[in-house]
Amino acid sequence: MLEGERDLVKKSKDGEVEAFGLLYDYYLPKIYRFVLVKVGQREEAEDLTHQAFLKAWQNITKYEHKGYSFGSWLYKIARNTVYDHYRQTKAEFGIEDADNLGLLIMEEDVESEAEKKIALSKILEHLKILKEVEEDVLIMRFVNDMPIKEVAATLGKTEGAVKLIQNRALKNLKESISKEK
Amino acid sequence: MNEERIIGLISKLKAVSPDADFAAKSKKIILSSPRSASSLALNPRTVAARILDIGLSLALMTGLVIVVLSGVGLIFKGSDNGSQQQALNLSLTNEANAAIKDINVHLKDVQYFNAEATKTNAVLKAAAGATSTATSTGSASSPQTTPGQGVSTATSTTSSTVPSPLNNQNSNIDNLLNQAAQ
């Protein structure tokens, strides 16, 4: 959670663009990653992320701090934006898509670059096999490092339920990859 | 592929970051866009703040009107007080004049009684002088009591037959008082 977040949110509600600008700078990478992993296309991810932040700015007066952070509220908006997008089209991942994500991980180990690309592309593909909520939990937990409590608040579930969903998601992902082999 | 490997690969996606140019452009567009009027209007806090704002304005306006009206009232009340004060002063003056008249009457009475007392005093002194003369004459002509006679008998005889100097004195005082009264 961003330091002084509540104050920034209050100022944003009062119409201070600088305050919302700071919130945008802090949450943009997280929301963008979340959206990008879900849709798999950089351009689409940029468009949907922009839409999500625009909705947040236009409706920030509706946000009330009820035990979860402003980030959780942003994730909810992003999720809804992506779901609306999914109703129209279903993104599919391939190895080109993994390249298109602009990942920096490959530069660390040049020898296994191709192998890691394939592995990552498989993960991204198999994430699409999971249920939406399972995919959301894995992205929030392992891509954006969100604590279980915040994930639970974002998804409107209990912490125990989130743990169960996470375990089930990993198991399903593992089984899906094993079946392919 | 075990779970740790899967988690490790998913975690690699942390390196994904938005394009800096996109981030700048998007931010600029978002912050320059107006916030929807509906969200501002329907927000309970905004509505409450506006109501409070209007209420405070009305309260301040009412207070100002009351202060102005009170000031005007005080001005008119001040002029009324002037006339009332004048009337009060007049009544007090009249009352004081009446009291002075009473005091003057009482002073005249005192002067009169003083003069009368002086006259009475003079008359009494004159009467006292006459009485002392008569007493000295009366005591020289009174009979001597013989030995053996009762004292009470002699006294009663003297009081009944011989004219008393005190009676003369009283009659003189009465006469003088009558003269003074006249």
Side-chain angles (χ1 to χ4, degrees):
Chain A
M1 186 172 165
L2 179 63
E3 191 178 349
E5 184 176 286
R6 293 182 72 171
D7 188 45
L8 288 173
V9 170
K10 188 178 177 297
K11 286 178 178 175
S12 300
K13 282 182 170 184
D14 294 337
E16 285 191 28
V17 292
E18 294 83 6
F20 190 79
L22 291 172
L23 291 168
Y24 176 91
D25 290 340
Y26 180 77
Y27 282 107
L28 176 68
K30 298 169 188 291
I31 298 298
Y32 175 77
R33 275 195 292 268
F34 176 77
V35 174
L36 181 63
V37 173
K38 285 186 76 69
V39 300
Q41 294 291 329
R42 182 175 281 273
E43 291 76 14
E44 279 183 12
E46 287 179 351
D47 186 40
L48 294 174
T49 304
H50 175 80
Q51 284 181 36
F53 274 98
L54 189 63
K55 284 178 190 172
W57 169 241
Q58 291 179 334
N59 297 285
I60 194 167
T61 51
K62 292 176 183 173
Y63 168 70
E64 287 185 16
H65 185 87
K66 289 179 179 174
Y68 56 88
S69 70
F70 178 70
S72 301
W73 185 67
L74 275 178
Y75 276 110
K76 283 183 182 176
I77 293 173
R79 283 180 77 217
N80 290 334
T81 306
V82 171
Y83 291 161
D84 289 342
H85 171 73
Y86 267 139
R87 287 193 191 107
Q88 299 168 0
T89 176
K90 182 76 178 176
E92 289 186 4
F93 282 88
I95 195 162
E96 295 80 12
D97 294 320
D99 280 338
N100 198 30
L101 295 181
L103 298 175
L104 304 174
I105 55 171
M106 316 309 175
E107 296 169 6
E108 297 170 0
D109 189 353
V110 180
E111 285 184 8
S112 59
E113 181 179 340
E115 190 181 338
K116 283 185 178 175
K117 266 189 182 180
I118 293 165
L120 191 62
S121 293
K122 277 186 181 175
I123 292 291
L124 290 170
E125 278 179 23
H126 288 280
L127 277 174
K128 299 296 117 191
I129 295 164
L130 300 176
K131 290 178 182 174
E132 294 292 347
V133 69
E134 291 174 346
E135 185 185 29
D136 292 346
V137 168
L138 291 185
I139 297 168
M140 288 179 189
R141 288 286 292 133
F142 303 118
V143 178
N144 284 340
D145 284 335
M146 285 171 67
I148 286 177
K149 187 180 178 182
E150 198 170 344
V151 174
T154 303
L155 300 176
K157 297 185 180 296
T158 63
E159 293 181 33
V162 170
K163 286 177 186 173
L164 283 174
I165 292 167
Q166 178 184 309
N167 290 333
R168 197 189 310 131
L170 287 171
K171 186 183 171 187
N172 290 341
L173 194 59
K174 185 182 171 184
E175 284 177 3
S176 177
I177 292 168
S178 300
K179 279 180 187 174
E180 195 183 67
K181 285 179 179 177
Chain B
M1 193 181 285
N2 58 21
E3 284 188 7
E4 285 75 25
R5 171 72 174 157
I6 292 169
I7 291 170
L9 281 171
I10 293 172
S11 300
K12 296 293 183 187
L13 291 167
K14 288 175 190 172
V16 173
S17 61
D19 181 65
D21 190 43
F22 153 73
K25 281 182 183 174
S26 173
K27 184 180 177 181
K28 192 177 176 183
I29 292 167
I30 289 166
L31 296 182
S32 63
S33 67
R35 279 156 66 176
S36 61
S38 60
S39 69
L40 289 173
L42 293 173
N43 181 20
R45 283 188 179 179
T46 311
V47 172
R50 284 184 183 176
I51 289 168
L52 188 66
D53 196 26
I54 292 166
L56 277 173
S57 300
L58 281 173
L60 283 171
M61 196 66 188
T62 308
L64 190 66
V65 168
I66 288 168
V67 167
V68 169
L69 290 177
S70 303
V72 172
L74 279 174
I75 289 166
F76 286 115
K77 201 175 180 182
S79 63
D80 286 349
N81 278 347
S83 59
Q84 283 179 354
Q85 190 68 36
Q86 283 178 347
L88 184 65
N89 286 341
L90 190 64
S91 69
L92 281 171
T93 308
N94 290 337
E95 200 174 333
N97 286 335
I100 287 167
K101 279 180 186 174
D102 285 346
I103 290 167
N104 285 336
V105 168
H106 286 303
L107 279 173
K108 281 179 184 174
D109 287 347
V110 167
Q111 283 172 352
Y112 170 76
F113 285 126
N114 191 28
E116 290 301 308
T118 309
K119 282 181 187 176
T120 307
N121 192 27
V123 171
L124 283 173
K125 278 182 181 175
T131 307
S132 62
T133 310
T135 307
S136 61
T137 311
S139 61
S141 63
S142 64
Q144 293 289 322
T145 52
T146 55
Q149 283 182 326
V151 176
S152 60
T153 311
T155 309
S156 63
T157 309
T158 305
S159 62
S160 60
T161 57
V162 179
S164 170
L166 282 173
N167 287 340
N168 291 334
Q169 191 178 354
N170 287 338
S171 61
N172 287 333
I173 289 167
D174 289 340
N175 291 333
L176 288 169
L177 284 173
N178 287 332
Q179 285 176 8
Q182 290 170 359

